[in-house]
PDB file of all heavy atoms in Angstrom:
ATOM      1  N   HIS A1016      -0.202  13.329   5.669  1.00 88.00           N
ATOM      2  CA  HIS A1016      -0.707  12.457   6.726  1.00 88.00           C
ATOM      3  C   HIS A1016      -1.063  13.274   7.964  1.00 88.00           C
ATOM      4  O   HIS A1016      -2.072  13.019   8.620  1.00 88.00           O
ATOM      5  CB  HIS A1016       0.324  11.382   7.064  1.00 88.00           C
ATOM      6  CG  HIS A1016      -0.290  10.136   7.625  1.00 88.00           C
ATOM      7  ND1 HIS A1016       0.314   8.911   7.561  1.00 88.00           N
ATOM      8  CD2 HIS A1016      -1.465   9.938   8.272  1.00 88.00           C
ATOM      9  CE1 HIS A1016      -0.453   8.007   8.135  1.00 88.00           C
ATOM     10  NE2 HIS A1016      -1.538   8.600   8.592  1.00 88.00           N
ATOM     11  N   PHE A1017      -0.242  14.275   8.272  1.00 92.00           N
ATOM     12  CA  PHE A1017      -0.562  15.117   9.422  1.00 92.00           C
ATOM     13  C   PHE A1017      -1.888  15.845   9.202  1.00 92.00           C
ATOM     14  O   PHE A1017      -2.689  15.981  10.130  1.00 92.00           O
ATOM     15  CB  PHE A1017       0.551  16.134   9.669  1.00 92.00           C
ATOM     16  CG  PHE A1017       0.196  17.135  10.740  1.00 92.00           C
ATOM     17  CD1 PHE A1017       0.210  16.771  12.083  1.00 92.00           C
ATOM     18  CD2 PHE A1017      -0.197  18.428  10.403  1.00 92.00           C
ATOM     19  CE1 PHE A1017      -0.150  17.682  13.068  1.00 92.00           C
ATOM     20  CE2 PHE A1017      -0.549  19.340  11.380  1.00 92.00           C
ATOM     21  CZ  PHE A1017      -0.527  18.969  12.715  1.00 92.00           C
ATOM     22  N   ALA A1018      -2.124  16.348   7.985  1.00 89.00           N
ATOM     23  CA  ALA A1018      -3.384  17.040   7.703  1.00 89.00           C
ATOM     24  C   ALA A1018      -4.577  16.128   7.958  1.00 89.00           C
ATOM     25  O   ALA A1018      -5.572  16.530   8.563  1.00 89.00           O
ATOM     26  CB  ALA A1018      -3.391  17.536   6.247  1.00 89.00           C
ATOM     27  N   ALA A1019      -4.470  14.875   7.514  1.00 89.00           N
ATOM     28  CA  ALA A1019      -5.558  13.924   7.749  1.00 89.00           C
ATOM     29  C   ALA A1019      -5.693  13.586   9.227  1.00 89.00           C
ATOM     30  O   ALA A1019      -6.803  13.529   9.770  1.00 89.00           O
ATOM     31  CB  ALA A1019      -5.331  12.653   6.926  1.00 89.00           C
ATOM     32  N   ARG A1020      -4.561  13.367   9.913  1.00 92.00           N
ATOM     33  CA  ARG A1020      -4.624  13.052  11.332  1.00 92.00           C
ATOM     34  C   ARG A1020      -5.241  14.199  12.125  1.00 92.00           C
ATOM     35  O   ARG A1020      -6.075  13.981  13.019  1.00 92.00           O
ATOM     36  CB  ARG A1020      -3.206  12.755  11.859  1.00 92.00           C
ATOM     37  CG  ARG A1020      -2.631  11.437  11.411  1.00 92.00           C
ATOM     38  CD  ARG A1020      -3.442  10.253  11.904  1.00 92.00           C
ATOM     39  NE  ARG A1020      -3.574  10.233  13.337  1.00 92.00           N
ATOM     40  CZ  ARG A1020      -2.721   9.619  14.158  1.00 92.00           C
ATOM     41  NH1 ARG A1020      -1.678   8.955  13.659  1.00 92.00           N
ATOM     42  NH2 ARG A1020      -2.911   9.629  15.453  1.00 92.00           N
ATOM     43  N   PHE A1021      -4.845  15.430  11.799  1.00 93.00           N
ATOM     44  CA  PHE A1021      -5.369  16.575  12.530  1.00 93.00           C
ATOM     45  C   PHE A1021      -6.876  16.708  12.337  1.00 93.00           C
ATOM     46  O   PHE A1021      -7.593  17.101  13.266  1.00 93.00           O
ATOM     47  CB  PHE A1021      -4.669  17.861  12.078  1.00 93.00           C
ATOM     48  CG  PHE A1021      -5.040  19.060  12.894  1.00 93.00           C
ATOM     49  CD1 PHE A1021      -4.384  19.342  14.082  1.00 93.00           C
ATOM     50  CD2 PHE A1021      -6.069  19.904  12.500  1.00 93.00           C
ATOM     51  CE1 PHE A1021      -4.741  20.439  14.851  1.00 93.00           C
ATOM     52  CE2 PHE A1021      -6.434  21.002  13.258  1.00 93.00           C
ATOM     53  CZ  PHE A1021      -5.758  21.273  14.438  1.00 93.00           C
ATOM     54  N   ALA A1022      -7.367  16.380  11.150  1.00 90.00           N
ATOM     55  CA  ALA A1022      -8.797  16.492  10.884  1.00 90.00           C
ATOM     56  C   ALA A1022      -9.619  15.600  11.797  1.00 90.00           C
ATOM     57  O   ALA A1022     -10.795  15.878  12.040  1.00 90.00           O
ATOM     58  CB  ALA A1022      -9.086  16.145   9.418  1.00 90.00           C
ATOM     59  N   PHE A1023      -9.005  14.556  12.333  1.00 92.00           N
ATOM     60  CA  PHE A1023      -9.726  13.633  13.212  1.00 92.00           C
ATOM     61  C   PHE A1023      -9.232  13.717  14.653  1.00 92.00           C
ATOM     62  O   PHE A1023      -9.415  12.784  15.435  1.00 92.00           O
ATOM     63  CB  PHE A1023      -9.620  12.200  12.675  1.00 92.00           C
ATOM     64  CG  PHE A1023     -10.322  12.022  11.363  1.00 92.00           C
ATOM     65  CD1 PHE A1023      -9.615  12.072  10.179  1.00 92.00           C
ATOM     66  CD2 PHE A1023     -11.695  11.848  11.308  1.00 92.00           C
ATOM     67  CE1 PHE A1023     -10.250  11.939   8.958  1.00 92.00           C
ATOM     68  CE2 PHE A1023     -12.347  11.709  10.101  1.00 92.00           C
ATOM     69  CZ  PHE A1023     -11.624  11.758   8.922  1.00 92.00           C
ATOM     70  N   PHE A1024      -8.641  14.837  15.012  1.00 93.00           N
ATOM     71  CA  PHE A1024      -8.205  15.009  16.398  1.00 93.00           C
ATOM     72  C   PHE A1024      -9.373  14.985  17.370  1.00 93.00           C
ATOM     73  O   PHE A1024      -9.200  14.661  18.545  1.00 93.00           O
ATOM     74  CB  PHE A1024      -7.438  16.328  16.541  1.00 93.00           C
ATOM     75  CG  PHE A1024      -5.947  16.170  16.447  1.00 93.00           C
ATOM     76  CD1 PHE A1024      -5.374  15.052  15.861  1.00 93.00           C
ATOM     77  CD2 PHE A1024      -5.108  17.147  16.948  1.00 93.00           C
ATOM     78  CE1 PHE A1024      -3.996  14.903  15.763  1.00 93.00           C
ATOM     79  CE2 PHE A1024      -3.730  17.018  16.871  1.00 93.00           C
ATOM     80  CZ  PHE A1024      -3.172  15.896  16.279  1.00 93.00           C
ATOM     81  N   GLY A1025     -10.559  15.339  16.923  1.00 91.00           N
ATOM     82  CA  GLY A1025     -11.719  15.289  17.796  1.00 91.00           C
ATOM     83  C   GLY A1025     -12.056  13.875  18.239  1.00 91.00           C
ATOM     84  O   GLY A1025     -12.778  13.675  19.220  1.00 91.00           O
ATOM     85  N   GLN A1026     -11.541  12.870  17.517  1.00 91.00           N
ATOM     86  CA  GLN A1026     -11.765  11.470  17.874  1.00 91.00           C
ATOM     87  C   GLN A1026     -10.504  10.831  18.461  1.00 91.00           C
ATOM     88  O   GLN A1026     -10.460   9.617  18.661  1.00 91.00           O
ATOM     89  CB  GLN A1026     -12.193  10.682  16.621  1.00 91.00           C
ATOM     90  CG  GLN A1026     -13.436  11.232  15.929  1.00 91.00           C
ATOM     91  CD  GLN A1026     -13.810  10.425  14.704  1.00 91.00           C
ATOM     92  OE1 GLN A1026     -13.672   9.201  14.673  1.00 91.00           O
ATOM     93  NE2 GLN A1026     -14.293  11.090  13.674  1.00 91.00           N
ATOM     94  N   THR A1027      -9.492  11.642  18.717  1.00 94.00           N
ATOM     95  CA  THR A1027      -8.187  11.140  19.151  1.00 94.00           C
ATOM     96  C   THR A1027      -7.945  11.502  20.611  1.00 94.00           C
ATOM     97  O   THR A1027      -8.313  12.581  21.053  1.00 94.00           O
ATOM     98  CB  THR A1027      -7.071  11.761  18.280  1.00 94.00           C
ATOM     99  OG1 THR A1027      -7.362  11.516  16.897  1.00 94.00           O
ATOM    100  CG2 THR A1027      -5.713  11.177  18.611  1.00 94.00           C
TER     101      THR A1027
END
Side-chain angles (χ1 to χ4, degrees):
H1016 206 156
F1017 173 75
R1020 287 298 303 270
F1021 187 85
F1023 294 98
F1024 264 20
Q1026 303 180 37
T1027 306

